[in-house]
Amino acid sequence: RIGGVCLPTVWLPITTLPHPSSQSIRTETLRLILDDVVSSLVVSGARTIALITGHCAQGHLSEMYEAALRGIDDHDVRIFAGAQLEPLRRPEVMDHAARYETSQLMAIRPDLVDVSALGETLVTQRDAVLGEDPRLGSEEEGRELMEQAVQAWSAWINSADGAGLRRHYQEAFDGLQPYVDAYYSGSWEEALLKWWSER
C-alpha cells in the first residue's frame, strides 16, 4: 500500500512465557540481530524501515524501540518499531492467547485454532491467556483488526518525521516504566519470571 518491500518473517522472541513448549532467544542475540538487519537494510538503500513484531512482551518491545533509536542515530534513517496492533493505540487488543490474538490467528491460520480444547475455566498459569476469553474471538474480528492495523501503520509511516519518532519512543518507554520499576533489575528474562509469578 505504501510502496514498500516486505521481508520474510522471522521468529526471534525474547521473554516468552515460561511454559515447557515456549522457545526464546537471549536478549543479547536479539540486539545483535536487530542491529545487523537494520545495517544490512541501510546498505541495501533503505531509508525507511518498519520492524513489526507479533510478540508484545515488555522486554521485547523495549529492545525493538532501542534498536530503532540506535538505527536512527547510526544511519540517519526513519525506523518504525512496534507490535502489529500497537499503532491502533488500543492496549486491550495487545493480548496473549486471548480474544484478539486468537481472532487474528482465526483470520490467517484457522487450522491452528481449537478453542474447544480449553477447559471450562481458564487458568492463567496453565492456559497463558492474558486478556479476554479467546472463545470470544472471531475470524471477522481478526480480519477487521488486521485491516485497521495496516491502515494505522501506513498512516504512521507516511506522516512521521524524526522528531515525531523520538516522541513516540519516549511515550512508549514511559508506558513501560511501571513494569520496569516493578520487575526489571538488569535482565528482561528475570523480569518476566518475576512478573509471571504474580499471575
Side-chain angles (χ1 to χ4, degrees):
R1 296 192 192 189
I2 60 173
V5 176
C6 292
L7 297 180
T9 57
V10 292
W11 185 89
L12 299 169
I14 64 168
T15 64
T16 57
L17 296 182
H19 285 280
S21 59
S22 287
Q23 302 295 307
S24 186
I25 66 170
R26 291 173 294 160
T27 298
E28 297 76 15
T29 304
L30 179 65
R31 287 179 189 147
L32 292 170
I33 290 170
L34 289 172
D35 288 348
D36 284 353
V37 167
V38 167
S39 295
S40 180
L41 288 170
V42 170
V43 168
S44 297
R47 304 306 301 158
T48 299
I49 298 167
L51 302 172
I52 304 172
T53 183
H55 184 46
C56 299
Q58 294 89 340
H60 191 91
L61 289 171
S62 183
E63 291 297 330
M64 298 272 293
Y65 306 149
E66 292 281 5
L69 288 169
R70 284 193 302 275
I72 290 168
D73 290 339
D74 293 347
H75 304 292
D76 191 30
V77 293
R78 295 188 315 147
I79 302 179
F80 300 81
Q84 79 277 21
L85 300 182
E86 196 170 348
L88 298 180
R89 297 187 175 274
R90 292 176 55 199
E92 76 277 7
V93 300
M94 291 173 43
D95 59 15
H96 186 278
R99 174 181 177 173
Y100 300 107
E101 191 168 56
T102 299
S103 291
Q104 292 169 82
L105 194 55
M106 286 176 165
I108 58 174
R109 286 294 306 272
D111 55 305
L112 297 179
V113 180
D114 181 7
V115 293
S116 69
L118 294 169
E120 188 174 318
T121 302
L122 296 174
V123 178
T124 302
Q125 292 280 342
R126 180 193 69 212
D127 302 315
V129 173
L130 302 170
E132 294 183 49
D133 192 318
R135 289 169 283 220
L136 297 173
S138 70
E139 178 180 342
E140 181 181 357
E141 180 173 64
R143 291 194 186 288
E144 183 177 323
L145 275 172
M146 290 188 295
E147 174 60 28
Q148 291 171 3
V150 168
Q151 290 177 16
W153 274 94
S154 298
W156 186 30
I157 291 168
N158 281 326
S159 65
D161 60 10
L165 280 171
R166 289 188 186 281
R167 280 193 306 274
H168 165 79
Y169 292 124
Q170 187 56 59
E171 290 172 9
F173 285 128
D174 290 346
L176 292 174
Q177 197 60 48
Y179 176 90
V180 171
D181 291 342
Y183 304 106
Y184 185 78
S185 58
S187 164
W188 289 119
E189 288 78 11
E190 289 177 12
L192 181 277
L193 292 175
K194 289 177 190 173
W195 175 83
W196 182 245
S197 70
E198 298 178 3
R199 299 308 102 193

